[in-house]
Amino acid sequence: MQTKRMTFPGRWLPYALLAPQVIVTLIFFIWPSLQALYMSLLREDAFGLNSTFVGLANFARLFADDTYLDSLSVTAMFAIGTTLLSMSAALLLAATVNRMLRSRNAYTTLLVWPYAIAPAIAGVLWWFIFNPSIGIVPYALEMLGYRWNHRTSGNDAMMLVIIAAAWKQIAYNFLFFLAGLQSIPQSLIEAAAIDGAGPVKRFWTIVFPLLSPTTFFLMVVNVVYAMFDTFGVIHATTQGGPSQATNTLVYKVYADGFVGLNLGSSAAQSVILMAIVVLLTVVQFRFIERRVNY
Amino acid sequence: MMASIKLEGLEKTYPGGVQAVKGVDLEVADGEFVVLVGPSGCGKSTLLRMVAGLETISAGALYIGKRRVNELEPAQRDIAMVFQNYALYPHMTVFDNLAYGLKNRGFKRDEIRRRVEEAARMLEIEAFLPRKPRQLSGGQRQRVAMGRALVREPAVFLFDEPLSNLDAKLRVQMRVEIKRLQRRLKTTSLYVTHDQLEAMTLGDRLVVLNGGRIEQVGTPMEIYARPASLFVATFIGSPAMNLLPLGALLSGPGAASHGALLGDLPPGTGILGIRPDALRLEAPHGPHLTLSATLELFEAAGAESHLHVRLAGSGQPLVIRTAGQPAVAEGQRLHFHITRDALHPFHRETGRRLDDTLKTKEQAA
Ligand SMILES: Nc1ncnc2c1ncn2[C@@H]1O[C@H](COP(=O)(O)OP(=O)(O)OP(=O)(O)O)[C@@H](O)[C@H]1O
Ligand SMILES: [Mg+2]
């Protein structure tokens, strides 16, 4: 295959064009990362006046700390719950919209709107809807005989943050699933119909397997989202409570560092988070290249 | 199980108002191979898809065997279809592609294996059974698509331009194979193509469609010998039939002698159709017309040649097909001859064929 090759007059122009991106990356991503890496090896005294080099002690303490291990399992629960909920809801919506002929565009537009809402605002929205004293959902649940209170019940709180976080991600997943569905040739579905498969069977034996590259891609994106991009949602709804029940890793970084002022530990946690992102990214590229399944 | 197909006043109006099929009546006998042929957009696929149950029927009735199947799902109609793009399931092996329909119908594992292997042997795709479709060539995929259709032993085969994605050589080869297979299995088949040669060679009978209506139904040779309309005349046969306005023969050089021979044409004749091979460079025995024309272009096509000429006087373009390579030069003035019975008279306004009493029986045979 032939690739087009642009040539620039002079040596400095390409560097100049690249510079803004490189500078932004350096200042806002690489520099703080290095800072965190450095700080994770220090310990500050209680007054923040001086710091001493402690090697990997911050990490060792974290993994010996039950609240950190708790937070790890809370995060796992939260990430799995959010991913499952937002992906299954999005797939259901996409499959439904894909069957429509006339109103498809209108629905697509409407369904994409939640994605444009800032996480904190979405959080406040859910805070109102699920508010134990004035919210509509607790009121409805009350009539069904369930007393909802995410301020005292850890399970309720977990449900709340999962719903709030998943809701925002549905739009994104929906778009990808819809595109995935539309790229499946109609004749495959027709062939399966002639081959005696009903709509449900067609979905699970033809459509779903053919969506697997999309599904896998979204799974990684959603896990990354749930783990790192949900600070706003949690902050606006449960603030990690009650009693650490929704204190995910990313929220704990904030709580320990800026509230608890334990900067060394907080930095160590950030470094662990970074390692997880790197790992997920590698997994994603590995599998996407192999195109999963077919 | 075998079955006939009967279409009664079948119509299709798509949402949005396009009327793709405008009342089609047709009977396909048990075991018959019928080819639907027509230009792009004439409604062939629509008609086939209505038989398959992939499009709803707007009006009319459809019978497969004794059953009225208008409202039945595709799976309940006991049909199998081969798609233009093959529509193989890309995530399944060839074996699973063939087995899918049988599994859905609850066949036993041994029976599935036996049938898939038998179909694979028949189509010589045994070696590909463990492969995925993307690991196959176009021709091999085509065979797998055929295999998927025949493994179920359906009452009816439906084909929608199954060969149009193959190269010319493979197309001829697969054409022969489809015909052979159908002869052997004797399964009622409806086959859609826009390729008139494919239609002529495959079908027991042809159905020529134009603008959602049937123009003519008949055996390939009936249609070739006695096209029912100008449309059919130009659509079937290659190079296409020449169409000459009657006036072009009745004026110009030799008009007087033509008049005598053409005097018995049916009333209303406006256009005469002449097959390119009915124009001869040597004078035949018996009464004939002689025309003179200038050779504009000479095409040698191996065993035959095509002469593009322009009629002296009227300037009408004509194509002549001759065997071999006659010794002619471009720009040369030529004389050529037509016997009276090689003329196909068409009505000057409707374009329908006018029954020509002079036509002899053996030409239709
Ligand atoms: N889903 C549809 N909605 C509206 N109009 C349609 C639809 N499908 C086909 N048509 C129209 O119906 C007519 C017949 O289409 P059809 O696909 O049957 O043609 P065809 O004879 O198979 O042509 P080709 O040889 O190009 O495949 C065309 O005018 C086409 O535009
Ligand atoms: Mg078609």
Side-chain angles (χ1 to χ4, degrees):
Chain A
M1 205 175 67
Q2 224 177 359
T3 45
K4 268 203 181 142
R5 188 169 283 219
M6 274 289 285
T7 46
F8 290 101
R11 270 180 86 75
W12 56 270
L13 181 62
Y15 294 107
L17 291 174
L18 268 177
Q21 179 68 47
V22 171
I23 290 170
V24 165
T25 310
L26 280 176
I27 294 180
F28 291 101
F29 295 94
I30 307 293
W31 175 244
S33 305
L34 291 175
Q35 275 277 327
L37 207 59
Y38 174 61
M39 279 166 64
S40 70
L41 305 175
L42 303 179
R43 174 165 311 140
E44 292 200 344
D45 64 23
F47 306 102
L49 293 177
N50 52 44
S51 45
T52 41
F53 183 80
V54 293
L56 296 175
N58 282 325
F59 293 93
R61 287 231 307 209
L62 273 180
F63 286 109
D65 179 1
D66 279 346
T67 60
Y68 189 72
L69 297 180
D70 262 3
S71 173
L72 213 60
S73 67
V74 162
T75 308
M77 276 266 294
F78 173 69
I80 292 170
T82 305
T83 303
L84 275 183
L85 181 61
S86 68
M87 283 182 63
S88 43
L91 184 54
L92 190 71
L93 288 170
T96 315
V97 168
N98 193 41
R99 296 171 68 100
M100 298 178 173
L101 292 176
R102 249 163 292 177
S103 35
R104 184 187 284 170
N105 289 339
Y107 275 95
T108 305
T109 311
L110 286 177
L111 283 169
V112 168
W113 281 357
Y115 199 62
I117 294 174
I121 298 190
V124 170
L125 193 78
W126 291 104
W127 183 86
F128 271 113
I129 294 175
F130 278 92
N131 190 302
S133 33
I134 60 169
I136 179 95
V137 173
Y139 179 72
L141 287 173
E142 180 97 50
M143 292 200 284
L144 294 174
Y146 185 82
R147 288 197 66 85
W148 172 277
N149 194 340
H150 63 259
R151 286 177 193 153
T152 54
S153 156
N155 284 340
D156 286 2
M158 180 55 94
M159 288 286 284
L160 171 57
V161 288
I162 286 178
I163 291 172
W167 175 75
K168 214 179 120 32
Q169 199 62 9
I170 286 176
Y172 183 88
N173 296 341
F174 165 79
L175 280 185
F176 275 86
F177 274 134
L178 188 62
L181 286 172
Q182 285 173 352
S183 70
I184 297 176
Q186 189 58 28
S187 57
L188 285 186
I189 313 294
E190 292 172 349
I194 291 175
D195 265 343
V200 175
K201 186 146 206 185
R202 288 202 291 270
F203 185 83
W204 290 113
T205 56
I206 308 290
V207 176
F208 192 71
L210 291 180
L211 278 179
S212 62
T214 309
T215 309
F216 183 77
F217 163 77
L218 285 179
M219 216 164 73
V220 177
V221 167
N222 279 264
V223 167
V224 170
Y225 160 81
M227 290 186 72
F228 309 105
D229 217 5
T230 46
F231 171 80
V233 169
I234 294 175
H235 196 57
T237 50
T238 64
Q239 279 141 15
S243 57
Q244 319 289 322
T246 56
N247 200 8
T248 62
L249 291 176
V250 80
Y251 197 78
K252 198 167 153 55
V253 170
Y254 159 82
D256 288 0
F258 294 92
V259 182
L261 287 178
N262 188 347
L263 289 184
S265 171
S266 175
Q269 292 177 34
S270 321
V271 170
I272 293 172
L273 278 178
M274 267 191 284
I276 296 175
V277 179
V278 169
L279 195 76
L280 282 173
T281 312
V282 168
V283 167
Q284 167 147 348
F285 277 111
R286 270 286 164 85
F287 280 86
I288 292 278
E289 256 164 40
R290 274 201 264 140
R291 297 252 70 189
V292 192
N293 210 328
Y294 76 95
Chain B
M1 220 257 302
M2 318 249 299
S4 57
I5 311 171
K6 192 160 131 200
L7 287 63
E8 275 180 4
L10 228 50
E11 285 180 28
K12 176 69 188 182
T13 310
Y14 279 110
V18 180
Q19 202 183 3
V21 176
K22 302 170 182 163
V24 166
D25 295 285
L26 179 68
E27 280 193 53
V28 180
D30 193 6
E32 197 179 16
F33 196 135
V34 168
V35 177
L36 300 174
V37 62
S40 187
C42 70
K44 313 179 287 291
S45 297
T46 305
L47 197 57
L48 194 77
R49 292 167 56 81
M50 282 158 84
V51 176
L54 299 173
E55 300 286 355
T56 54
I57 293 170
S58 308
L62 173 65
Y63 298 87
I64 295 179
K66 299 254 178 306
R67 288 190 303 170
R68 184 187 139 105
V69 298
N70 279 41
E71 280 80 30
L72 290 189
E73 290 294 316
Q76 301 167 307
R77 296 189 182 191
D78 203 11
I79 49 126
M81 182 156 166
V82 180
F83 291 82
Q84 180 171 8
N85 65 359
Y86 315 140
L88 300 177
Y89 312 123
H91 57 298
M92 296 184 194
T93 61
V94 170
F95 183 94
D96 289 332
N97 264 281
L98 266 60
Y100 186 70
L102 299 174
K103 279 187 195 149
N104 288 336
R105 285 176 167 76
F107 279 79
K108 294 259 178 337
R109 283 176 69 111
D110 312 351
E111 174 70 1
I112 293 178
R113 176 157 292 278
R114 191 187 65 72
R115 283 219 199 172
V116 169
E117 275 166 4
E118 190 191 319
R121 199 169 324 116
M122 213 186 291
L123 289 159
E124 294 165 27
I125 51 171
E126 292 151 293
F128 312 135
L129 284 178
R131 291 205 206 163
K132 296 270 176 73
R134 74 181 145 80
Q135 296 165 310
L136 301 177
S137 72
Q140 291 161 350
R141 280 179 216 183
Q142 218 287 326
R143 283 163 189 275
V144 176
M146 296 273 302
R148 191 174 61 182
L150 63 87
V151 77
R152 285 199 1 241
E153 300 172 9
V156 173
F157 283 143
L158 303 173
F159 301 88
D160 191 355
E161 311 211 21
L163 304 183
S164 59
N165 285 348
L166 300 180
D167 65 54
K169 196 171 155 201
L170 206 51
R171 201 177 307 167
V172 174
Q173 191 186 328
M174 283 309 293
R175 194 173 77 201
V176 174
E177 226 162 300
I178 289 181
K179 179 96 183 171
R180 197 178 291 149
L181 217 63
Q182 202 270 343
R183 283 269 163 79
R184 187 165 144 201
L185 301 172
K186 299 204 168 46
T187 307
T188 314
S189 302
L190 256 186
Y191 186 106
V192 161
T193 179
H194 61 257
D195 181 338
Q196 55 92 23
L197 183 62
E198 209 170 287
M200 294 276 289
T201 48
L202 272 177
D204 295 330
R205 276 195 304 155
L206 304 192
V207 176
V208 184
L209 286 172
N210 183 25
R213 283 204 180 80
I214 292 186
E215 287 271 338
Q216 190 173 6
V217 181
T219 66
M221 280 325 288
E222 269 165 29
I223 289 180
Y224 186 78
R226 296 177 58 80
S229 66
L230 285 174
F231 174 81
V232 180
T234 48
F235 193 76
I236 299 288
S238 170
M241 182 184 272
N242 295 298
L243 300 180
L244 266 185
L246 188 55
L249 288 181
L250 294 178
S251 62
S257 67
H258 295 165
L261 257 167
L262 299 175
D264 63 344
L265 283 173
T269 301
I271 291 175
L272 289 174
I274 309 165
R275 292 267 174 222
D277 44 355
L279 295 164
R280 308 259 167 81
L281 289 172
E282 312 85 39
H285 305 297
H288 59 270
L289 309 180
T290 301
L291 302 176
S292 60
T294 315
L295 181 62
E296 284 197 331
L297 186 72
F298 177 79
E299 286 179 333
E304 61 183 47
S305 338
H306 303 158
L307 279 59
H308 297 259
V309 303
R310 220 168 254 286
L311 217 50
S314 63
Q316 283 288 324
L318 291 175
V319 180
I320 305 171
R321 179 162 79 183
T322 65
Q325 317 251 304
V328 290
E330 286 175 8
Q332 189 184 338
R333 175 62 73 95
L334 295 173
H335 292 281
F336 52 91
H337 316 275
I338 323 158
T339 55
R340 169 63 186 85
D341 56 7
L343 297 175
H344 302 256
F346 295 99
H347 191 272
R348 84 171 76 82
E349 271 139 32
T350 62
R352 303 298 299 178
R353 178 188 197 84
L354 290 166
D355 244 314
D356 189 346
T357 44
L358 279 186
K359 277 273 181 249
T360 49
K361 270 270 151 55
E362 70 248 27
Q363 262 188 306

